Amino acid sequence: MPKRKILMVLPVPLSAEALSEFSGHIPPELLRDDIEIDFRAASRGGRILDSYYETCLADAFVVEAAMKAEEEGYSAVCINSMSDSGLNALRSVLTIPVVGPGQASMLMASSLGNKFSVLTMWDRWEILYKKTIDELGISHRLASIRSIGVRPDAEELLSGKEEVVFSALLEKAKLAIEADRADVLILGSTTMHQSHEFLQSELPVPVINPGHAALKMCEVYMDMHLSHSKLAYRHPEHHDISVFDG
């Protein structure tokens, strides 16, 4: 039986080396022999998703990167960013499942506890989380968004900054639990995956790695032969893929 394939899309342009770093962040125990995962970065667009302008660019070029996924033989698309860039648009043009870490991690957190907090590198990313929270209608489940105030690096991730970043995240995590009454924590970016094992070992509550949550949600939908409703995400009357040419 041929392997089913998931297309994992990064919303910003990345070097081949950085893309390889992302592809290596899935631990062997989460990989399946029957599923192949391909990573692809947006060809153009935003760099760090620090504003509504950059998130708009990311939406457009994630759509460009994945709009042919179904005809390319993929069984699902996973957007590897808490921005969920292009999520609704891709659901509109594709019939295969399209999953984003923002929605996946927040829905998972809501099923594991009463309130969750988001631990983030940068306060300028708050617009990403609030967009998804508003779309899902779960503001009552949010305990807090706690930032350590460190500008992220999509190329280097946390390499070389582990000692400082990990301790700062741990401090904010404890505040989220003790002061904000969070009983589940979500990492605020797939670029923070290197901190997950450390934080989970130090904290008494579940810590969700959003990239892994989205991947596993893709697999569940594939296994159960489910996809998004085409009544909710209607196919456009005019679907001109040449709009990205040039």
Side-chain angles (χ1 to χ4, degrees):
M1 183 176 179
K3 287 186 177 183
R4 293 173 294 172
K5 298 193 301 178
I6 295 175
L7 179 62
M8 192 78 70
V9 184
L10 283 299
V12 297
L14 291 171
S15 67
E17 184 179 352
L19 193 61
S20 176
E21 175 68 25
F22 270 97
S23 66
H25 88 271
I26 304 171
E29 62 269 21
L30 292 186
L31 294 172
R32 288 172 45 169
D33 292 337
D34 62 327
I35 294 177
E36 179 181 324
I37 304 169
D38 294 334
F39 282 74
R40 183 180 298 172
S43 64
R44 295 166 284 171
R47 295 289 171 177
I48 202 163
L49 306 190
D50 62 352
S51 60
Y52 290 115
Y53 170 74
E54 284 230 336
T55 58
C56 177
L57 292 176
D59 284 339
F61 290 107
V62 165
V63 171
E64 179 194 41
M67 63 185 174
K68 295 182 181 178
E70 199 162 357
E71 62 185 83
E72 291 172 339
Y74 290 98
S75 298
V77 172
C78 187
I79 300 157
N80 199 303
S81 169
M82 282 290 281
S83 62
D84 287 357
S85 300
L87 179 69
N88 292 339
L90 285 171
R91 286 177 173 175
S92 181
V93 297
L94 300 175
T95 64
I96 57 175
V98 184
V99 176
Q103 282 194 7
S105 60
M106 291 180 190
L107 291 172
M108 185 177 287
S110 297
S111 72
L112 295 175
N114 295 314
K115 285 185 174 290
F116 64 85
S117 285
V118 178
L119 299 178
T120 186
M121 299 283 287
W122 211 21
D123 55 6
R124 294 188 70 167
W125 276 347
E126 284 192 12
I127 58 172
L128 309 180
Y129 319 130
K130 290 179 177 177
K131 177 200 73 171
T132 301
I133 289 165
D134 289 345
E135 287 180 351
L136 294 175
I138 56 171
S139 58
H140 61 292
R141 307 301 290 269
L142 177 67
S144 61
I145 299 171
R146 290 275 185 175
S147 169
I148 63 171
V150 174
R151 187 183 186 280
D153 187 331
E155 291 276 343
E156 297 295 330
L157 303 180
L158 303 184
S159 299
K161 298 178 253 184
E162 290 90 346
E163 184 174 347
V164 173
V165 169
F166 285 14
S167 62
L169 286 171
L170 182 60
E171 179 183 350
K172 294 295 184 180
K174 290 178 177 178
L175 284 172
I177 295 167
E178 296 163 7
D180 307 329
R181 307 299 295 256
D183 39 36
V184 182
L185 301 174
I186 301 172
L187 299 183
S189 174
T190 56
T191 63
M192 296 167 62
H193 68 84
Q194 292 150 303
S195 67
H196 178 259
E197 185 176 355
F198 167 76
L199 290 172
Q200 188 62 88
S201 69
E202 295 288 329
L203 297 168
V205 302
V207 181
I208 296 175
N209 183 328
H212 295 172
L215 171 62
K216 289 301 166 181
M217 187 171 284
C218 271
E219 292 177 1
V220 168
Y221 289 157
M222 291 162 59
D223 290 344
M224 296 181 68
H225 304 289
L226 292 173
S227 191
H228 47 275
S229 169
K230 295 308 288 186
L231 293 181
Y233 302 95
R234 294 186 182 274
H235 196 81
E237 285 188 8
H238 303 287
H239 180 200
D240 181 9
I241 62 175
S242 68
V243 70
F244 291 101
D245 293 346

